[in-house]
Amino acid sequence: MQRLGYPARVMIVLATLLALCVHWFVQPFGKEWIWLSTVGVLIVAASLIVWRTRQLSRARRRSAHILNALGAATVDIPLNLRTRMPLVLVTGDALATLFDRSAGEKRLVFIGDGAIWLRVDRPQDLPEIALATRQWRDGQPPDGVVLSVAPALHADADALAQRLRVARQSLADASRIVSARLPGYVAVYQRLTSLAPRDANVAREWHCASASAPLVDAERFEAVIRNAEDNACRHADSRYASVHAAALASIVGWTQRVVIDTLTDSRQPASPWALHGAGWIDCGPASDAAKPWELHVQTQTRIAPASVDATPAPWPLPQQLIASMPRRIVTSPRMAAFAHAIGIVALAAGAAFLGAGRHNAQLLERIKTHLDRYASIAPDHDAARRDALQAVVADRDELDRYNRTGVPLRLSFGLYHGAQLSPALNAAIASYQPPPPPPTVVTLDSMSLFDSGKTELKPGSTRALVAAVELIKAHPGKRIIVAGHTDDVGSAAANLLLSNARAAALRDWLIDASGIPATQFAVQGYGDTRPIAANDTPSGRAKNRRVEITLVPDTTNNAN
């Protein structure tokens, strides 16, 4: 039974929905390009889902035979146990000799003591197989990768180095695709001597150096050599022990220089191997003096090693090499997804709070700016004051609407403080006093009331004054200002006296006709000082010869 593993696509959908909700309803980054950004988010999310789906499908399709083999080999292992049991990918040389236990039978999985060994014929397949096994193990990546190296199967050290670089790049890709740095191990299968030990099992013993942390120096390899030398001293009568110790020291040094340096050199483009161990065994294919390690021995000693026969299959897997393999904390992918979902929701909430705080700050700043602008305009600038008042009224209406229908999400989350500005807005609106209406002016043609140069009303002129009397009676309580004007014909002094006398004559008639007390009237003569048209034409001079009756509020009575 295979579990679903980490629900990456569900997490992408969740993150996308939360991002769009925050963007549309809270708008932490403004309304500009909101549709374009929405389309961009949807395209990115769809691309990630399609990419992830194809990645998993391709990995499952290409690794189907391996997953089927894993399922068949572990059918008796409880589901929870197989996620805790180490799973090691084995790639490199002579895999058939390691896994196939009988002729004609190709085995992909071997269940050893405390580990599941999985065969990977091509190092390039490591990323996809690692991804597929992670899904098979309920989200847990492989515990390590063992690189099998049989020097005698390679023509020379350069050809071997090229294969090692491919393995290095493949492990780097596998670590990246499963989001975990996979521990790497090197298992060297090399016949060290043609001599046979007294105990046949001695030749199949591993000489290992491994640790739960990556190896950073060669001291652990020196310990392998010292152990072999101590064993040779304990068995001084055994020629095999002494030859084996010398050969082991040589193959360890060769492995460090040719194999391990290639896998861990930081100057190479691919990420270095996280090398947790290396092991050597006097077991391997047939070898002669023309093979890479033997050529190294000849260079060092001037002695050509003797040809050796291949070790009969199957060769042992390096169980001792992974004995100190680092143990990962097993976490269910659903629990990891739940934790990630909480983190995504927290990020969305943080963005929402950030946006709400920003919008509330903008609202308060806008309202305060409108209040300050209204307060700074003098009452005699009524047009500008009314424009500023409209903005204040709009702000008050907006806050009232929020109070009635609820605060929108972009201002909520406990950050809304607009209600505290409502009293200030209402006070500013109530303080507005419209300016008094302009005085009512009635203009009368002097020529229709007076003869030229005269100050007595002409007979029959009262008909033109009836409308003025009715207007005065319709506005009781207002002061009546009677002003006389002339053209510029004649002297200014004479014109001034004439305009004043005509205004006085009209006032006297209005008092008699309306019955309004004389105290409500005022007389003013302006002569030719306030023309309303040019005096260089007859029509202009006719317009300037006029008497104006102005009705203005009586400020004295109003004050009382």
Side-chain angles (χ1 to χ4, degrees):
M1 177 180 178
Q2 182 175 341
R3 294 185 179 177
L4 296 177
Y6 185 85
R9 288 164 290 189
V10 175
M11 302 303 296
I12 294 173
V13 172
L14 173 64
T16 302
L17 291 177
L18 288 176
L20 292 179
C21 287
V22 171
H23 190 45
W24 274 90
F25 297 110
V26 183
Q27 302 166 4
F29 309 112
K31 294 183 178 179
E32 300 83 1
W33 308 102
I34 188 169
W35 280 106
L36 183 61
S37 58
T38 299
V39 173
V41 170
L42 292 175
I43 290 176
V44 171
S47 300
L48 289 175
I49 292 174
V50 171
W51 170 78
R52 183 63 177 175
T53 301
R54 289 183 175 178
Q55 184 186 50
L56 293 176
S57 299
R58 183 172 60 250
R60 289 170 181 160
R61 184 175 61 255
R62 295 185 179 181
S63 307
H65 61 294
I66 291 181
L67 295 180
N68 293 335
L70 273 172
T74 59
V75 66
D76 296 328
I77 301 176
L79 187 63
N80 293 330
L81 178 59
R82 77 182 186 191
T83 62
R84 297 193 298 269
M85 191 174 182
L87 188 148
V88 183
L89 306 183
V90 184
T91 189
D93 300 332
L95 298 184
T97 314
L98 301 180
F99 282 86
D100 298 343
R101 300 296 161 173
S102 60
E105 178 191 8
K106 181 178 180 179
R107 297 183 61 179
L108 300 177
V109 181
F110 178 76
I111 307 298
D113 295 335
I116 302 173
W117 302 83
L118 179 60
R119 172 177 174 176
V120 182
D121 290 311
R122 297 173 63 249
Q124 296 89 330
D125 296 334
L126 278 174
E128 291 183 352
I129 293 178
L131 180 61
T133 55
R134 188 182 71 170
Q135 293 295 111
W136 181 80
R137 299 182 77 210
D138 197 24
Q140 299 302 317
D143 294 282
V145 176
V146 172
L147 177 63
S148 169
V149 179
L153 296 179
H154 299 276
D156 51 46
D158 291 338
L160 173 60
Q162 183 59 35
R163 299 260 323 228
L164 294 174
R165 294 187 188 99
V166 173
R168 171 174 173 162
Q169 181 64 58
S170 299
L171 182 59
D173 294 339
S175 298
R176 175 181 51 80
I177 203 169
V178 299
S179 303
R181 195 172 189 187
L182 302 179
Y185 300 87
V186 173
V188 179
Y189 293 87
Q190 174 65 44
R191 289 295 311 275
L192 300 178
T193 174
S194 59
L195 299 176
R198 296 174 182 174
D199 185 355
N201 293 326
V202 172
R204 288 179 174 250
E205 291 182 355
W206 281 96
H207 303 273
C208 302
S210 61
S212 58
L215 303 178
V216 295
D217 52 45
E219 291 184 4
R220 293 183 182 273
F221 300 145
E222 295 295 332
V224 173
I225 299 173
R226 287 196 299 271
N227 289 337
E229 292 174 348
D230 292 343
N231 183 66
C233 292
R234 288 193 300 271
H235 301 84
D237 58 339
S238 172
R239 186 182 175 194
Y240 171 83
S242 58
V243 174
H244 177 269
L248 181 62
S250 176
I251 192 66
V252 168
W254 180 87
T255 303
Q256 286 183 254
R257 188 179 69 258
V258 176
V259 179
I260 296 177
D261 285 354
T262 303
L263 296 175
T264 60
D265 186 4
S266 59
R267 294 171 296 180
Q268 297 293 327
S271 299
W273 266 42
L275 187 67
H276 282 249
W280 297 264
I281 189 171
D282 186 6
C283 172
S287 184
D288 55 43
K291 300 302 181 181
W293 174 66
E294 283 79 355
L295 291 175
H296 167 73
V297 173
Q298 292 183 57
T299 303
Q300 298 296 319
T301 64
R302 304 296 180 184
I303 299 174
S307 298
V308 293
D309 296 330
T311 304
W315 301 343
L317 288 163
Q319 181 68 46
Q320 298 91 328
L321 183 61
I322 64 170
S324 58
M325 176 177 288
R327 295 290 184 251
R328 291 191 177 93
I329 298 176
V330 178
T331 303
S332 168
R334 267 77 61 194
M335 291 299 298
F338 180 73
H340 293 164
I342 293 177
I344 292 172
V345 172
L347 288 176
F353 276 101
L354 176 66
R358 179 184 174 201
H359 290 305
N360 275 283
Q362 291 176 345
L363 174 67
L364 298 179
E365 182 65 25
R366 171 166 55 86
I367 293 176
K368 290 179 179 179
T369 300
H370 290 166
L371 287 172
D372 292 342
R373 177 171 173 264
Y374 174 74
S376 65
I377 300 175
D380 54 346
H381 294 80
D382 188 65
R385 194 171 173 82
R386 283 199 307 272
D387 290 341
L389 182 64
Q390 289 180 357
V392 173
V393 171
D395 291 338
R396 191 272 314 273
D397 294 343
E398 180 181 359
L399 298 187
D400 287 346
R401 185 172 66 254
Y402 295 159
N403 186 49
R404 294 192 310 272
T405 62
V407 180
L409 281 176
R410 62 186 181 86
L411 295 172
S412 56
F413 300 100
L415 301 176
Y416 177 70
H417 299 291
Q420 66 187 10
L421 293 179
S422 293
L425 291 171
N426 290 326
I429 294 171
S431 68
Y432 175 74
Q433 294 294 333
T440 304
V441 179
V442 178
T443 302
L444 301 173
D445 182 11
S446 294
M447 298 307 296
S448 65
L449 301 177
F450 304 94
D451 291 329
S452 178
K454 303 297 183 179
T455 59
E456 297 84 9
L457 289 170
K458 293 193 301 184
S461 61
T462 57
R463 228 177 309 168
L465 298 174
V466 172
V469 173
E470 291 178 351
L471 178 64
I472 291 172
K473 289 182 177 181
H475 296 82
K478 291 191 175 182
R479 280 184 76 82
I480 302 119
I481 300 175
V482 183
H485 301 270
T486 67
D487 57 23
D488 63 349
V489 177
S491 66
N495 288 333
L496 183 61
L497 291 174
L498 179 62
S499 63
N500 192 66
R502 286 179 172 177
L506 183 56
R507 175 201 58 190
D508 294 340
W509 187 92
L510 291 172
I511 291 173
D512 293 339
S514 64
I516 297 174
T519 56
Q520 290 295 106
F521 287 86
V523 173
Q524 182 67 52
Y526 291 101
D528 58 8
T529 59
R530 294 187 178 182
I532 60 174
N535 283 302
D536 53 358
T537 63
S539 60
R541 289 192 294 272
K543 291 180 180 179
N544 291 333
R545 295 190 296 269
R546 68 195 187 280
V547 178
E548 293 178 345
I549 302 173
T550 304
L551 305 180
V552 297
D554 191 343
T555 57
T556 303
N557 293 337
N558 291 340
N560 293 335

